[in-house]
Amino acid sequence: MARMQRALDVAATTPAGDVPVGAVIYGPDGAELATGVNRREALADPTAHAEVEAIRAAVREYGDSWRLEGCELVVTLEPCAMCAGAAQAARVSSVVFGAWEPKTGACGSLVDVLRAPGALFVPEVRAGVLEAECQEVLRKFFENLRSAARE
């Protein structure tokens, strides 16, 4: 729960205009290695999702080249296919997320990239951690976006 609360705190630092998602990667010893937030709009980069930003930063701090074995990715929103694939490719040992994403979620909602048949590496997945709190951050963001569009 404390780790997801940290991810929520990180999400609050998302640049204006980007969907507020926070990701934190913890090392095998439990120490925080890196954080990431969505920066697609801020960087004009479709790959600048919170998880990818955190993975990129974490491999600079820890790992055998690009591997994050023994590490945990904690993210406020269910990863999409790209982010789930990046976590899997980096050999993140576990993925913990808060809110489900039925439109693009790739950890069980729409598809399940991490546990697909034949997957070479299968991380542990925990879903729904502080789900209501994570959903509320997104609800407020989209409510504000809709009301700004009406003005």
Side-chain angles (χ1 to χ4, degrees):
M1 297 266 221
R3 288 182 174 192
M4 186 59 73
Q5 185 56 59
R6 173 68 178 131
L8 282 163
D9 293 343
V10 169
T13 69
T14 302
D18 274 296
V19 178
V21 175
V24 183
I25 297 183
Y26 294 93
D29 63 356
E32 182 178 307
L33 293 176
T35 63
V37 295
N38 276 349
R39 295 183 189 281
R40 290 186 317 171
E41 298 297 329
L43 299 177
D45 178 354
T47 68
H49 288 203
E51 301 93 325
V52 172
E53 296 287 299
I55 289 167
R56 288 175 178 158
V59 297
R60 290 191 293 268
E61 295 297 320
Y62 172 85
D64 173 15
S65 179
W66 48 267
R67 292 173 188 83
L68 295 173
E69 292 176 11
C71 295
E72 179 171 79
L73 168 63
V74 179
V75 60
T76 57
L77 182 64
E78 180 183 6
C80 69
M82 177 185 69
C83 294
Q88 193 170 49
R91 304 293 194 263
V92 170
S93 293
S94 64
V95 175
V96 178
F97 68 87
W100 291 90
E101 174 44 276
K103 294 179 181 176
T104 62
C107 297
S109 286
L110 182 64
V111 295
D112 197 344
V113 168
L114 296 178
R115 294 169 288 208
L120 297 176
F121 180 81
V122 181
E124 178 185 326
V125 177
R126 279 189 20 227
V129 176
L130 295 183
E131 182 176 6
E133 292 89 334
C134 293
Q135 286 175 335
E136 182 62 13
V137 170
L138 296 165
R139 186 195 67 72
K140 284 181 181 175
F141 172 79
F142 286 109
E143 182 179 279
N144 290 339
L145 193 64
R146 284 188 294 275
S147 70
R150 284 185 290 237
E151 294 174 358

